[in-house]
Amino acid sequence: MRRKKKSFIVLSMIAALTVILAACGGGTSDSSSSDGGPQFIDLLTGGTEGTYYPLGGSLAEIINSNVDNVEARATSTGASVENMNTMSEGNDDIIAFTQTDIAAYASEGTLMFDGEAIDNIQAIGSLYPETIQIVATETSGIQTVEDLKGKTVSIGAPGSGTNASAEDILGIYGMTVDDIEVQNLDFGESTTGMQDGTIDAAFITAGTPTGAVESLSATTPITIVGLEEDKVDQLIEEKPYYAPYTIEEGTYSLEESVETVSVNAMLATTEGMDEDLVYNITKAIYEHTDEIGHQKAEFIKPESAVEGVSIDFHPGALRYFEEAGVEVPQ
């Protein structure tokens, strides 16, 4: 009797241990890590003072709330170029913010990625426009792109997206950076330079209204230089990562709207990320925009998510947009 009781206790312990081990093993979802826990995804953003980082935090919350067995976390970085370089390192648990033009340069191995193409990046979708703004002081007399000739103009840091856009726009007007007195300044330095009169104009790539430009316009009369429609069309035909953009009347106290172009902020990932996971993340983001706690939420829509994207879409994102009835350019 005692032996039977002892055997019963041993069998009971084995059964209990089996249940515990099964529970620890977790499910078989592709979104789980190998140890059964959640899959961790780094959402590479930008500096803490910019748009990417706070928006990335909001998107991470949406992913965590709507995709099973995933834990996404926004990480502050040096933004687009650094994010593309990080994605080249072979980690398939990364989603990154970048500009559409920077993604194109990385994929092609041009400009700041000269000779070092990053061939594993794929698009999830566009988010919001980052406008190419040519800001000039009224005292400079600059009204057109041609008027920039001989003037002191900031075109952003060497190797930056702003620098590349400045060269593109000057190019469609038959000009080069040799036609201007170049200054390589960031947004804050550019607006300070215009305020104190050391520079005449600056190329600034950012969502509008841009805080630095608003602050400048409050103390210094400015002009936003527009682009003619045929030049916009030419630029987009040559560089499909650009999109037309209108800076509305009233922005920076403008008396009339100004036509220009934009690149888009977008999300990208690696080709090695699981297709179902990318599908679920894409669906979560574009179908829960009402939960995005950021003013850029108004721009994030499935129908505009393919604008300006010239790199290949990840199959998971492509599947979502096709189901949503969004035509994806091939």
Side-chain angles (χ1 to χ4, degrees):
M1 180 73 176
R2 187 176 298 166
R3 185 177 298 170
K4 289 183 178 180
K5 184 175 182 180
K6 185 176 180 180
S7 298
F8 176 78
I9 292 172
V10 172
L11 289 172
S12 297
M13 290 176 65
I14 292 172
L17 182 60
T18 301
V19 171
I20 292 170
L21 289 173
C24 291
T28 58
S29 169
D30 287 334
S31 297
S32 304
S33 63
S34 59
D35 63 1
Q39 179 171 348
F40 291 98
I41 294 175
D42 277 322
L43 192 54
L44 307 181
T45 61
T48 56
E49 300 300 317
T51 299
Y52 288 179
Y53 182 71
L55 179 57
S58 186
L59 296 184
E61 290 180 6
I62 288 174
I63 292 169
N64 295 340
S65 298
N66 295 282
V67 181
D68 291 339
N69 298 316
V70 166
E71 186 170 328
R73 52 199 170 192
T75 302
S76 177
T77 71
S80 297
V81 175
E82 179 181 317
N83 292 350
M84 295 298 94
N85 284 324
T86 299
M87 294 179 75
S88 71
E89 297 172 0
N91 187 339
D92 291 329
D93 295 324
I94 289 176
I95 293 174
F97 278 76
T98 184
Q99 291 178 189
T100 50
D101 56 336
I102 301 298
Y105 303 146
S107 180
E108 297 164 357
T110 56
L111 295 178
M112 67 285 289
F113 303 97
D114 186 24
E116 297 182 2
I118 301 173
D119 58 7
N120 67 329
I121 55 172
Q122 294 185 329
I124 290 179
S126 284
L127 298 173
Y128 63 89
E130 297 195 49
T131 316
I132 315 299
Q133 303 166 83
I134 307 175
V135 185
T137 61
E138 281 191 3
T139 56
S140 70
I142 296 171
Q143 297 291 325
T144 67
V145 173
E146 290 95 332
D147 291 338
L148 294 173
K149 287 184 178 179
K151 301 293 186 179
T152 304
V153 184
S154 172
I155 62 171
S160 67
T162 299
N163 192 286
S165 294
E167 292 188 3
D168 287 342
I169 289 174
L170 291 172
I172 62 172
Y173 284 88
M175 299 166 60
T176 71
V177 293
D178 293 334
D179 293 309
I180 60 178
E181 296 293 328
V182 171
Q183 293 289 309
N184 297 116
L185 307 174
D186 65 23
F187 296 172
E189 292 168 335
S190 295
T191 53
T192 297
M194 283 186 279
Q195 192 169 26
D196 63 25
T198 57
I199 66 172
D200 300 304
F203 283 78
I204 293 178
T205 305
T208 53
T210 305
V213 180
E214 284 188 310
S215 298
L216 174 66
S217 67
T219 60
T220 306
I222 63 170
T223 298
I224 306 296
V225 178
L227 308 180
E228 292 82 3
E229 183 179 355
D230 63 321
K231 298 297 186 183
V232 170
D233 292 342
Q234 178 185 342
L235 184 60
I236 293 172
E237 183 176 354
E238 294 178 4
K239 314 280 186 177
Y241 41 78
Y242 288 106
Y245 190 86
T246 302
I247 302 175
E248 298 293 346
E249 174 186 348
T251 308
Y252 313 130
S253 301
L254 292 173
E255 295 182 358
E256 57 185 30
S257 61
V258 174
E259 301 304 320
T260 183
V261 292
S262 68
V263 290
N264 282 352
M266 66 174 285
L267 293 178
T269 189
T270 63
E271 63 182 3
M273 185 173 275
D274 178 75
E275 180 178 333
D276 288 338
L277 177 57
V278 175
Y279 169 84
N280 289 329
I281 287 173
T282 308
K283 182 181 179 71
I285 290 172
Y286 287 97
E287 293 191 357
H288 293 86
T289 55
D290 58 323
E291 300 172 21
I292 297 175
H294 195 283
Q295 61 183 5
K296 295 301 183 186
E298 64 176 298
F299 297 102
I300 302 176
K301 304 172 183 177
E303 55 268 28
S304 60
V306 301
E307 292 180 358
V309 177
S310 61
I311 66 172
D312 291 338
F313 278 85
H314 190 285
L318 188 63
R319 172 156 49 111
Y320 168 72
F321 291 124
E322 288 175 347
E323 287 182 3
V326 176
E327 184 175 349
V328 180
Q330 300 298 320

